Amino acid sequence: MHNPSEITHDHDHSGHDHGHGGHHYGHSHGAGVTDENRIAWAFVIIFAFMLVEVAGGLYAGSLALLADAGHMVSDAIALGMSWVALRVGKREANLKHTYGYKRLEVLVAFVNGCTLFVIAGWIVFEAARRFAAPVHVLGGPMLLVAVAGLLSNLIAFFVLNGGNRENLNMRSAWLHVLGDMLGFFIAIVAAGIILVTGWSPVDPLLSIVVALIILKSAGEIVRSSSHILLEGSPEGFDAKALGDDLLANVPSVLDVHHIHAWSLTSEDCMVTLHIRCKPEADNALVIPAINERLKSQFKITHSTIQIDFAPCEEHCSAHPHSHS
């Protein structure tokens, strides 16, 4: 039924500019270096202040500060792993890893998200313990450390903010720092309440708010990264729309079916599909015409197309994306 010689791959190696659904996800090697530098600087800022915050949290007896210090530990680890992933991801593909190492970025983002769940759980547990056995909190030192922490995270936030937000690895790093900023803001509020009223339970109470913020960030990163690791369709990809478009705009195409799309990373989309051609079609011209349409309309530059010479019953009977 199939002629293996008709399986054709279309790759664009002028840069990693694969995309989907009308969105262009290309990025240059230069952009990658910029992202590396941004993450490296953010790591230095976060790691340096993490040490200050741990010392300040222990001195002030503030769970809100220690909770955010724990978050900053995960941030420092996450940023370090993200930097390594970007470095390793630039390695060339080889016979053992034919797609290269770029998906390491997604794996790191998934691990980063999972660590955030663990940290949030620890914060909630410690807050419950503090409610049961209240600890005196020094509002003055807590306020000073929280303000300094907010300023340091603002710097790290703006360093990362100019990076490639479509890159899941960069986005996870950005969300880590954003969560820290919110955590410090809450710590400032808690310190102000303690200084004015002396009510220390506000510290563990607001630390739970920090935990909820962390959980929200973690949920988004784990959901997005696990979707890619499970070979889910890229966000915005519509197999039916793609098939209908090819039928309407490539005259030689009689049928489009067995359409599959997945992401190597959050930016790099891969597509495979089967087609049947009209009897008068010149098969040598059909695939270049399809590839041109995929590039111009859907920004897809990595495709594998197979021509079928008879109805593809074993695939179409069980596959929802068949057009005839």
Side-chain angles (χ1 to χ4, degrees):
M1 182 177 293
H2 310 305
N3 183 350
S5 65
E6 295 293 344
I7 299 178
T8 301
H9 302 267
D10 181 61
H11 311 276
D12 185 347
H13 294 294
S14 60
H16 301 291
D17 52 346
H18 313 308
H20 60 80
H23 302 285
H24 191 210
Y25 287 86
H27 59 285
S28 67
H29 179 73
V33 171
T34 301
D35 287 346
E36 279 183 46
N37 290 338
R38 290 179 185 279
I39 286 181
W41 277 109
F43 172 82
V44 171
I45 294 168
I46 294 299
F47 184 81
F49 192 79
M50 175 192 73
L51 300 177
V52 175
E53 188 177 22
V54 169
L58 291 173
Y59 176 75
S62 168
L63 177 60
L65 285 182
L66 290 175
D68 203 71
H71 189 194
M72 289 190 78
V73 170
S74 79
D75 286 350
I77 294 172
L79 290 168
M81 291 172 65
S82 295
W83 184 84
V84 171
L86 287 174
R87 294 282 293 180
V88 175
K90 293 192 299 182
R91 292 182 182 176
E92 296 295 327
N94 53 47
L95 293 177
K96 188 174 182 181
H97 298 91
T98 57
Y99 279 119
Y101 296 84
K102 289 184 66 63
R103 185 164 277 194
L104 180 60
E105 298 176 14
V106 182
L107 182 60
V108 165
F110 178 78
V111 172
N112 285 345
C114 291
T115 60
L116 288 174
F117 278 106
V118 175
I119 290 170
W122 174 81
I123 293 172
V124 172
F125 173 81
E126 185 64 17
R129 195 176 69 83
R130 289 279 182 111
F131 278 123
V135 175
H136 180 65
V137 178
L138 301 177
M142 177 183 176
L143 181 61
L144 290 175
V145 174
V147 170
L150 180 61
L151 293 175
S152 68
N153 272 265
L154 276 171
I155 296 171
F157 177 82
F158 284 117
V159 167
L160 292 174
N161 198 43
N164 179 14
R165 198 70 55 75
E166 291 173 350
N167 182 289
L168 187 61
N169 199 32
M170 278 296 295
R171 194 161 82 241
S172 70
W174 183 83
L175 283 172
H176 268 275
V177 175
L178 179 61
D180 262 339
M181 286 175 56
L182 294 174
F184 277 120
F185 178 76
I186 289 172
I188 290 172
V189 173
I193 292 173
I194 291 171
L195 284 172
V196 173
T197 68
W199 191 56
S200 292
V202 71
D203 180 58
L205 181 64
L206 291 182
S207 70
I208 293 177
V209 176
V210 176
L212 294 177
I213 293 170
I214 293 173
L215 285 174
K216 184 178 183 300
S217 299
E220 180 180 341
I221 292 300
V222 170
R223 179 189 61 79
S224 298
S225 57
S226 61
H227 182 74
I228 293 174
L229 293 173
L230 291 171
E231 308 291 0
S233 295
E235 184 178 353
F237 180 83
D238 187 335
K240 185 178 186 304
L242 185 147
D244 289 341
D245 182 86
L246 294 180
L247 284 174
N249 294 283
V250 183
S252 299
V253 174
L254 177 65
D255 178 39
V256 183
H257 54 277
H258 205 43
I259 302 171
H260 291 284
W262 70 99
S263 298
L264 183 61
T265 68
S266 54
E267 302 158 90
D268 302 324
C269 174
M270 314 289 178
V271 172
T272 65
L273 56 90
H274 289 203
I275 63 168
R276 280 200 301 135
C277 300
K278 296 177 180 178
E280 69 276 11
D282 184 347
N283 291 347
L285 300 178
V286 174
I287 289 178
I290 291 175
N291 283 328
E292 181 59 34
R293 186 67 188 175
L294 291 176
K295 289 177 183 178
S296 64
Q297 184 64 23
F298 297 93
K299 301 298 186 293
I300 294 172
T301 55
H302 190 135
S303 59
T304 302
I305 302 168
Q306 177 169 311
I307 296 179
D308 294 332
F309 295 96
C312 192
E313 296 176 0
E314 73 273 20
H315 295 308
C316 297
S317 61
H319 201 276
H321 306 308
S322 177
H323 306 262
S324 57

